[in-house]
Amino acid sequence: MRGVRLAALAVAAVLAATGCSAARDEPARPEPVAGGAAALPGPAPAGLALRPAPPGAPGAPGVTGRLTDGSTVDLAQLWADRPVVLVFFTSWCGVCEQRQDALSQLARDHGDRVVFVGVAGQDKPEDVQRYLRAHRVEYPVLLDDDGRVALAYAVREPPAVVLVGKGGKLLRGFTGGVDAPTLDARLKELVLAP
């Protein structure tokens, strides 16, 4: 009888250990959605020195769009207190892919002084997520499924980059995209005061 009790206790202990450890394990948390509201910048840094927009610079189209996590963003709110760089891309664009890692690093280098916003057009959400993770894109990304944002900025196809100054003035567009060193030089020349 004692042997049966010991065996039963051993089985109960094994079951309890496996059951308890499985119960204690937290369920796998889904990976956060890249390019969503969590990627929006914080407040502009205090004392941010910016160059004024040239007189006569046209206004940028104000667009409200949906980020990758379904939340909405108003571009006018982003450029109210600092410059914005719009990066038009698709996950299947070879030139976009070649330049993205350097653009992602440039966005990190400029931190909250310049807001980078990706605009992904004609793409599947899962392909956009793979692209954003592969290239460490840490800034917000608008999904432009209907091409409305691209049309507002006269972008025919990716890649393209648009530089908008503080207050919403169009400063420069790069049809065919731009490499990170050239974009960095334009940011220093057009918007960031020394």
Side-chain angles (χ1 to χ4, degrees):
M1 187 75 141
R2 183 167 186 227
V4 172
R5 278 192 231 153
L6 287 175
L9 285 174
V11 170
V14 169
L15 289 175
T18 13
C20 288
S21 67
R24 276 186 273 158
D25 290 342
E26 292 184 23
R29 293 182 183 169
E31 199 169 358
V33 176
L40 288 167
L48 177 60
L50 299 172
R51 297 180 191 274
V63 175
T64 299
R66 182 175 53 90
L67 296 176
T68 57
D69 64 358
S71 59
T72 59
V73 66
D74 181 355
L75 293 181
Q77 288 181 340
L78 295 178
W79 66 53
D81 58 359
R82 65 194 126 187
V84 171
V85 173
L86 299 174
V87 180
F88 291 83
F89 74 96
T90 61
S91 67
W92 42 266
C93 167
V95 176
C96 302
E97 190 164 20
Q98 290 169 3
R99 294 181 175 162
Q100 187 61 64
D101 290 340
L103 290 174
S104 294
Q105 184 59 50
L106 185 61
R108 284 189 290 278
D109 291 347
H110 283 292
D112 284 340
R113 297 180 314 150
V114 177
V115 179
F116 279 67
V117 178
V119 182
Q122 301 174 355
D123 221 328
K124 296 177 183 172
E126 60 273 14
D127 292 339
V128 171
Q129 285 299 301
R130 270 193 296 276
Y131 179 93
L132 299 179
R133 286 190 176 91
H135 297 288
R136 295 185 55 218
V137 176
E138 297 169 0
Y139 48 80
V141 175
L142 284 167
L143 296 178
D144 191 25
D145 300 327
D146 59 4
R148 186 176 51 85
V149 179
L151 183 62
Y153 283 88
V155 172
R156 290 187 189 184
E157 64 183 12
V161 174
V162 176
L163 174 55
V164 180
K166 176 184 173 181
K169 295 295 185 180
L170 280 172
L171 300 179
R172 185 78 164 82
F174 301 91
T175 303
V178 65
D179 60 61
T182 302
L183 179 57
D184 190 38
R186 294 298 81 77
L187 286 169
K188 290 172 181 167
E189 171 193 336
L190 296 172
V191 296
L192 297 173

